[in-house]
Amino acid sequence: MRAAERTTRRAVPEPPRDRHRKPLTLSRREDLHGRLLVGPTVIVVLLFAVLPFLAVALFAFLDVRLVDIPRLYIDNLVFTGDNIAAVWNSPRFWSAATTTVVYAAASSAGAVLVGLGVALALRRPFRGRGLIRALVLVPYVLPVVAAATIWKTLLNPGYGLVNAVGVEWLGWAEPIAFLTTTTRDLGPFAVPVALMCVIAFEVWKTFPLAFLFITARLQVVPEDIEEAAQIDGAGKTRIFRHLLLPELAGVMALLAVLRFLWSFQNFNDIYLLTGGAGGTEVLAVRVYSELVVRANIGTASATGLLMTGMLLVVVAVYAWMIKRERA
């Protein structure tokens, strides 16, 4: 019996081996492990970034409203360019685009400059510097809803502290509705009150990030170069202009571009403060109004698509500047 089993086992042929299959080398194995590690991130980006953007691009060229989504099928899609044309020819779109550019440029420049000033002021050691640095970070870590509520309370024309001080101590004739007043004459100039308020809020909320980046860069600047310049008689202004500013130019440019991109698509701050009133309707608020108020997903998607195109122009210009600088 055992002899028969041995004969049967010997008679069973072994599975053929793939002679053309190459063994995994160390580099191929590391490449495979890297792909497996990056795979979940790629899937998340595809699901939550790429696919929504493709949906926006699709809806921008469809004749569809928000109520039509449950009954939308592939066989009844109607493609049209009317949404893009309507948004492009809309005066409100260009007004919102101008407000967005002004808001993003002013808030990003203000955040970087204020962060630079605070970083320089807190650069040298003194008693209590650590506590002050911690307090500087409070606006950045404060929830945006809480921060907006604080500002709305301070600027309230009925019981706000700012108006109380202005009327009692600064001689204002009446309280100012800071968050709803479009313009107010200040001598020969018409000041955009509400827009300046939301810009000031954005600068106050975001300058701590610039402060952190600039402080980190200042800590690696060689101190012996500054000491040599001081011995040679250079003042603080010349030291900052010829020594510190070239060291900080790169990080400040990066911060300005990042802050511009983030402020350009900012929605929460302006909506919580003004709701787009008082000449503060930016493109993000415009998209919200088209989608939620008018329930027009086509024009809302078209506005968002044009916003993306504007941001791509900014990124392309920045990439060109970096490439030209390295060349």
Side-chain angles (χ1 to χ4, degrees):
M1 189 68 179
R2 293 182 178 177
E5 290 180 357
R6 293 175 182 174
T7 305
T8 305
R9 291 178 180 176
R10 292 177 182 176
V12 176
E14 295 182 358
R17 296 181 179 179
D18 189 0
R19 298 179 180 179
H20 299 285
R21 184 178 180 181
K22 297 181 180 180
L24 289 177
T25 61
L26 180 60
S27 60
R28 293 183 62 186
R29 191 178 296 111
E30 291 178 350
D31 181 68
L32 179 60
H33 291 169
R35 292 176 185 271
L36 292 176
L37 291 174
V38 176
T41 303
V42 174
I43 294 174
V44 171
V45 172
L46 288 175
L47 290 177
F48 296 99
V50 177
L51 290 181
F53 174 75
L54 294 178
V56 169
L58 176 64
F59 287 134
F61 294 96
L62 288 178
D63 185 13
V64 60
R65 298 185 68 85
L66 195 60
V67 295
D68 300 329
I69 297 297
R71 300 180 298 274
L72 190 64
Y73 300 98
I74 298 178
D75 56 349
N76 61 359
L77 295 181
V78 179
F79 290 91
T80 178
D82 293 342
N83 295 326
I84 298 293
V87 172
W88 186 265
N89 296 322
S90 174
R92 290 193 63 180
F93 169 77
W94 291 109
S95 176
T98 303
T99 303
T100 304
V101 172
V102 173
Y103 168 77
S107 60
S108 58
V112 173
L113 292 177
V114 173
L116 173 64
V118 176
L120 293 175
L122 302 180
R123 186 186 181 196
R124 300 302 180 186
F126 59 89
R127 188 174 181 180
R129 185 180 67 165
L131 177 61
I132 296 178
R133 281 183 170 180
L135 293 176
V136 166
L137 301 179
V138 170
Y140 190 72
V141 300
L142 195 66
V144 63
V145 176
T149 303
I150 293 172
W151 274 62
K152 290 180 70 173
T153 302
L154 292 175
L155 299 176
N156 189 281
Y159 53 82
L161 178 62
V162 175
N163 276 294
V165 173
V167 173
E168 294 293 334
W169 301 95
L170 301 181
W172 294 356
E174 58 182 2
I176 301 175
F178 287 97
L179 299 178
T180 56
T181 302
T182 304
T183 57
R184 191 178 180 90
D185 293 334
L186 185 62
F189 304 102
V191 180
V193 179
L195 183 59
M196 290 187 63
C197 288
V198 295
I199 291 174
F201 176 83
E202 181 71 6
V203 172
W204 171 81
K205 189 79 173 60
T206 59
F207 88 88
L209 180 65
F211 162 75
L212 287 177
F213 275 76
I214 295 174
T215 299
R217 188 67 186 89
L218 285 173
Q219 290 179 348
V220 298
V221 176
E223 296 183 359
D224 54 350
I225 300 179
E226 293 185 58
E227 294 177 357
Q230 291 177 356
I231 293 174
D232 292 340
K236 294 182 178 180
T237 304
R238 297 186 63 184
I239 291 176
F240 171 75
R241 180 180 178 183
H242 297 286
L243 295 180
L244 295 181
L245 191 57
E247 295 286 341
L248 300 175
V251 66
M252 290 176 62
L254 178 61
L255 284 170
V257 173
L258 291 178
R259 279 258 43 95
F260 184 89
L261 294 177
W262 294 336
S263 300
F264 193 92
Q265 52 188 330
N266 189 15
F267 169 78
N268 296 334
D269 299 358
I270 295 179
Y271 186 77
L272 290 173
L273 284 174
T274 65
T280 62
E281 186 184 49
V282 294
L283 287 176
V285 177
R286 181 69 180 161
V287 171
Y288 175 83
S289 300
E290 291 290 330
L291 180 62
V292 177
V293 179
R294 298 185 58 193
N296 194 336
I297 192 172
T299 54
S301 300
T303 305
L305 197 61
L306 291 176
M307 280 183 62
T308 305
M310 295 176 183
L311 291 176
L312 289 178
V313 171
V314 176
V315 173
V317 171
Y318 179 72
W320 174 78
M321 293 174 59
I322 294 297
K323 185 178 179 179
R324 182 179 178 183
E325 183 180 354
R326 292 180 178 177

